[in-house]
Amino acid sequence: MKLAALMRKEFYRFFHDPRLIIAVLIPGVIIFLVYTVLGSILSSDKDETYAYRVFLSGDSVAVSLIGAAVEESGNTVEWVTATDAESAKSAVENGEATAFLAFSDGFDTAAGEVELYYTSGETESFSFGSIASALLREYGMRYRFQSVDLADESQLQSQFMGAFLPMLIVCFTFTASMGITVESVAGEKERGTIATILATSVKRSHVALGKIIPLACISLLGAASGFFGIVFSMPRLMGLSIAVFDFGIRNYILLFFLTVSIVPFIVACIALVSTYAKTVKEATAYVSIIMIFFIVLSVVAGIATGIGEWVVAVPVLNATVVMSLLLGGALPVWQTLVSVGCNLVYTALLVFLIAKMFQSERIMFR
Amino acid sequence: MTPIVVAEDLRKTFTLTRKQQRIERTREARRVAVNGLSFCAYRGEIYGLLGPNGAGKTTTLRILSTLIRPDAGDAYLLGHSVVKEAAKVRDCIGFLTGELKLEAFFTPDYLFEFFGAMHGLGKEEIRARKRDLFPRFGIDKFAQVKVGDLSTGMKQKVSLAISIVHDPEIIIFDEPTNGLDVLTTKVIVDFLAELKRMGKSILLSTHIFSLVEKLCDRVGVIIDGRMIAEDTLSALTAESSLEDKFFALYRQEKGDVI
Ligand SMILES: Nc1ncnc2c1ncn2[C@@H]1O[C@H](COP(=O)(O)OP(=O)(O)OP(=O)(O)O)[C@@H](O)[C@H]1O
Ligand SMILES: [Mg+2]
């Protein structure tokens, strides 16, 4: 009952103040606008049409379907029969050809196999790859479809999402939750209104949870706004279709859980230092340090390779590393589950600590 | 006369941080705020803790309202120990300070219901209390105006009403009129008198003699965390005015410093 009333008050505060709503949702909108404008400036030659040169081995009706789809997109395709697979692949790799499509023998009659080689480092190859894989996936019940990205590790585009999205998610979570959490916790402490609540018989842990849960939900909104801001502006910015990142639904679910698990943790972190701090100003200073720390960590996590499995036990960093894996197309199920579990345990610990701090007169009545 | 607040040998020592030491230009690492304080307040009376700045009044009242714990000693409110039964104590007291401590964003109506819920009251109970208290304080017309937009006097009335939403037996009030203008002061004095008529017991702290003279039935004089004198107002002021009596006590305690 009391917890419900505490939570309701926090939500009420947020949803009845347009300024707060705007402050939380604005990062996503700004990202979208900036990226879209940037995208249209950078790729003013975006409408340039491509003449794809695609190596082909084996044959299928799918070829003509792909051809039709390519023409529909305003591009042209020239099919070249591949003599051997290896030289076709290396031609794709060094940019002499757009892509290489290999159908197994009798693909249309028997349930066969089809492989698509492209390189995400080349815009042209990438755009063909997205058209072809979208089509092949759509009809992909009867056969096995595999698309292979031949881009080497240093090629930015394939790495873009993997390296920067986790960092951006961490960034958005911080920016979305920082203002409201600092205001709600340190602000109430500074103005003394929290003491009024602590003088009632409500449990300290409920006061802590009554703040963390609603603030985490609201921050999630902010993080989501940032996330969608990127996703929707990505095509404009990169001149690419996000359909290329067509991971399975399972990848999206894992990505979702990872995001959801770091938001409460980050909110709890901010709430903790806000509880400790004497004033909003002091709290903001602490939070900025923590934010920079986690952002640097997640940038490193996005770029560095070969981080050990121990990383799943490190809050926030675990989510960014596993997100990178996910966005790279892998399906790291146990890593996701352990990371989410760890983040939740850490969050619970922080909530416990905050409740303890509410009890501590040294902290509350400095 | 039934004792309603009984304090027994309360002690509280604070550790001063470096910063506090610097601000107060002192080398001492510890500050004894309350030093073996005992007193007794009776049902239906207004008890005033009178003392200069830094005497330990706020600390004492915070101990009584369970916001901080005493290092030693205990106090009993309606028989509940502030050390062992903090939650029970919180439900039978209303704690107030002169400074306004309500979130400016919310309406009196919302906050009243919120704090009612914090004390574990049901919806119906809260509504009944509201019907009783809002007209009594003249808040009903302003029930839907954000606290931040209210006049200081109205704000003070709202925080008074909210502090007694759960109909507490004991009201603890730290510096009720500190820094308030004459009108708001009158609001508070009237409120306390009204509470007394309603049969509540009140414990307040102040350094303003006239307030004590106007309201209190019983007075405890605190200096440096210790109870120097405790008696009924009439007994204390039998020979001289309260002010003269206080300074006599102060000189007796600290020597001829003033
Ligand atoms: N949290 C704290 N940490 C350190 N010292 C404290 C703390 N709270 C109070 N003190 C010190 O304890 C002493 C008593 O303080 P208290 O606030 O109880 O006095 P007071 O009688 O309410 O005075 P005032 O009239 O100024 O409100 C003061 O010297 C004060 O500096
Ligand atoms: Mg005081």
Side-chain angles (χ1 to χ4, degrees):
Chain A
M1 248 321 281
K2 293 181 184 179
L3 179 58
L6 282 162
M7 285 171 46
R8 223 177 309 122
K9 174 170 142 274
E10 218 59 44
F11 278 122
Y12 183 97
R13 173 82 184 85
F14 178 76
F15 285 107
H16 283 75
D17 193 339
R19 280 181 317 165
L20 288 183
I21 298 177
I22 290 170
V24 164
L25 296 183
I26 209 78
V29 178
I30 289 181
I31 289 278
F32 177 74
L33 292 178
V34 168
Y35 277 17
T36 305
V37 170
L38 214 68
S40 56
I41 293 171
L42 287 182
S43 54
S44 46
D45 57 347
K46 191 181 69 186
D47 287 333
E48 112 182 81
T49 52
Y50 297 119
Y52 303 129
R53 218 173 93 82
V54 179
F55 277 110
L56 188 65
S57 95
D59 200 8
S60 158
V61 288
V63 172
S64 59
L65 286 175
I66 293 171
V70 165
E71 251 145 58
E72 204 173 303
S73 69
N75 303 309
T76 55
V77 58
E78 175 197 350
W79 300 104
V80 182
T81 312
T83 42
D84 75 303
E86 283 320 306
S87 60
K89 278 184 219 168
S90 61
V92 174
E93 237 169 320
N94 59 35
E96 283 163 29
T98 307
F100 171 42
L101 253 180
F103 292 94
S104 60
D105 287 336
F107 178 79
D108 289 338
T109 46
E113 228 176 81
V114 52
E115 283 170 347
L116 166 68
Y117 297 88
Y118 68 101
T119 144
S120 58
E122 302 282 339
T123 321
E124 183 182 319
S125 174
F126 198 69
S127 68
F128 177 80
S130 63
I131 296 172
S133 58
L135 245 156
L136 288 169
R137 244 179 250 283
E138 204 170 316
Y139 297 105
M141 292 97 183
R142 270 177 42 248
Y143 52 85
R144 219 171 65 75
F145 168 57
Q146 198 188 359
S147 82
V148 181
D149 183 0
L150 295 172
D152 64 50
E153 300 246 346
S154 64
Q155 279 175 311
L156 180 70
Q157 282 190 344
S158 70
Q159 294 277 301
F160 183 83
M161 291 289 263
F164 290 99
L165 194 69
M167 186 269 277
L168 287 172
I169 289 179
V170 171
C171 231
F172 288 140
T173 311
F174 265 104
T175 47
S177 52
M178 186 159 156
I180 49 167
T181 308
V182 166
E183 180 49 37
S184 166
V185 180
E188 276 214 47
K189 188 180 163 189
E190 186 177 352
R191 291 187 296 271
T193 52
I194 198 131
T196 319
I197 296 175
L198 293 177
T200 69
S201 60
V202 64
K203 281 206 193 85
R204 272 55 185 151
S205 55
H206 284 189
V207 179
L209 280 176
K211 291 251 174 238
I212 306 278
I213 296 172
L215 291 171
C217 291
I218 293 166
S219 306
L220 206 54
L221 272 182
S225 130
F227 181 80
F228 287 116
I230 295 182
V231 168
F232 289 135
S233 53
M234 199 56 66
R236 301 286 186 82
L237 179 63
M238 315 277 302
L240 308 171
S241 145
I242 47 157
V244 179
F245 302 101
D246 59 345
F247 329 112
I249 182 86
R250 277 179 302 180
N251 292 54
Y252 278 111
I253 293 174
L254 295 188
L255 193 63
F256 174 77
F257 278 128
L258 284 169
T259 310
V260 169
S261 79
I262 60 167
V263 171
F265 177 82
I266 288 176
V267 169
C269 270
I270 300 177
L272 187 90
V273 295
S274 300
T275 312
Y276 179 78
K278 235 182 291 185
T279 59
V280 170
K281 222 163 125 188
E282 193 183 332
T284 312
Y286 294 152
V287 175
S288 318
I289 295 170
I290 296 179
M291 173 162 142
I292 290 167
F293 175 73
F294 277 120
I295 288 177
V296 168
L297 268 191
S298 44
V299 170
V300 171
I303 296 168
T305 46
I307 298 179
E309 309 255 89
W310 51 264
V311 78
V312 294
V314 183
V316 182
L317 190 59
N318 57 12
T320 52
V321 169
V322 178
M323 276 180 200
S324 298
L325 293 177
L326 268 170
L327 293 164
L331 196 65
V333 176
W334 77 264
Q335 286 96 324
T336 306
L337 294 180
V338 175
S339 302
V340 170
C342 283
N343 287 341
L344 290 182
V345 169
Y346 291 130
T347 308
L349 269 176
L350 288 179
V351 170
F352 177 77
L353 259 177
I354 294 170
K356 274 266 163 288
M357 286 167 82
F358 281 150
Q359 246 148 37
S360 158
E361 56 200 62
R362 224 170 233 255
I363 291 167
M364 296 313 290
F365 299 99
R366 290 203 290 165
Chain B
M1 286 209 306
T2 342
I4 196 155
V5 177
V6 182
E8 288 176 355
D9 199 23
L10 291 176
R11 282 167 201 277
K12 183 75 192 177
T13 306
F14 290 109
T15 315
L16 296 184
T17 59
R18 284 271 152 70
K19 205 169 163 193
Q20 281 169 322
Q21 288 181 5
R22 212 172 338 111
I23 293 169
E24 301 193 20
R25 293 166 193 276
T26 170
R27 285 285 199 74
E28 53 171 348
R30 300 169 70 70
R31 163 79 44 87
V32 180
V34 178
N35 189 3
L37 203 67
S38 304
F39 66 92
C40 184
Y42 298 91
R43 186 181 292 275
E45 287 190 353
I46 299 186
Y47 187 107
L49 285 175
L50 180 65
N53 289 138
K57 305 179 295 290
T58 301
T59 308
T60 306
L61 294 188
R62 280 182 177 166
I63 290 173
L64 294 178
S65 44
T66 75
L67 286 172
I68 62 179
R69 285 166 71 95
D71 297 334
D74 202 343
Y76 302 88
L77 285 82
L78 281 171
H80 302 302
S81 153
V82 292
V83 178
K84 297 188 203 84
E85 305 166 279
K88 280 215 178 99
V89 171
R90 285 179 198 136
D91 271 336
C92 67
I93 60 163
F95 180 63
L96 268 155
T97 63
E99 307 145 65
L100 307 163
K101 296 287 169 65
L102 291 177
E103 283 173 83
F105 178 81
F106 295 94
T107 62
D109 194 60
Y110 190 97
L111 286 173
F112 192 84
E113 288 182 10
F114 172 75
F115 280 101
M118 287 302 103
H119 282 290
L121 302 188
K123 278 230 162 61
E124 212 27 69
E125 270 174 290
I126 295 174
R127 224 162 285 150
R129 286 294 286 167
K130 206 192 297 179
R131 271 196 303 273
D132 177 21
L133 291 176
F134 274 26
R136 197 191 286 247
F137 288 109
I139 301 171
D140 35 358
K141 284 191 284 303
F142 301 94
Q144 304 303 336
V145 181
K146 281 184 186 170
V147 168
D149 297 333
L150 293 174
S151 70
T152 311
M154 189 49 69
K155 263 186 225 169
Q156 192 56 265
K157 287 184 193 179
V158 171
S159 60
L160 297 174
I162 284 173
S163 69
I164 55 165
V165 55
H166 54 306
D167 203 10
E169 206 54 47
I170 304 167
I171 286 97
I172 298 178
F173 209 150
D174 190 21
E175 306 278 9
T177 59
N178 217 9
L180 300 176
D181 71 351
V182 282
L183 284 177
T184 323
T185 302
K186 177 154 171 40
V187 167
I188 292 185
V189 171
D190 292 350
F191 165 77
L192 290 172
E194 168 79 12
L195 281 178
K196 188 184 167 184
R197 261 198 302 284
M198 286 158 74
K200 305 293 179 192
S201 315
I202 297 158
L203 197 62
L204 59 83
S205 82
T206 187
H207 55 247
I208 302 167
F209 298 114
S210 61
L211 186 76
V212 176
E213 284 168 330
K214 207 176 295 170
L215 281 172
C216 296
D217 301 296
R218 193 173 291 272
V219 186
V221 178
I222 307 187
I223 294 170
D224 287 345
R226 278 181 299 124
M227 191 65 86
I228 302 302
E230 189 193 8
D231 213 328
T232 57
L233 181 70
S234 46
L236 273 178
T237 53
E239 300 144 29
S240 56
S241 73
L242 183 64
E243 192 169 340
D244 292 343
K245 177 78 185 173
F246 176 83
F247 286 120
L249 284 167
Y250 193 86
R251 261 191 293 271
Q252 183 187 317
E253 188 61 28
K254 306 271 274 191
D256 267 326
V257 284
I258 38 169

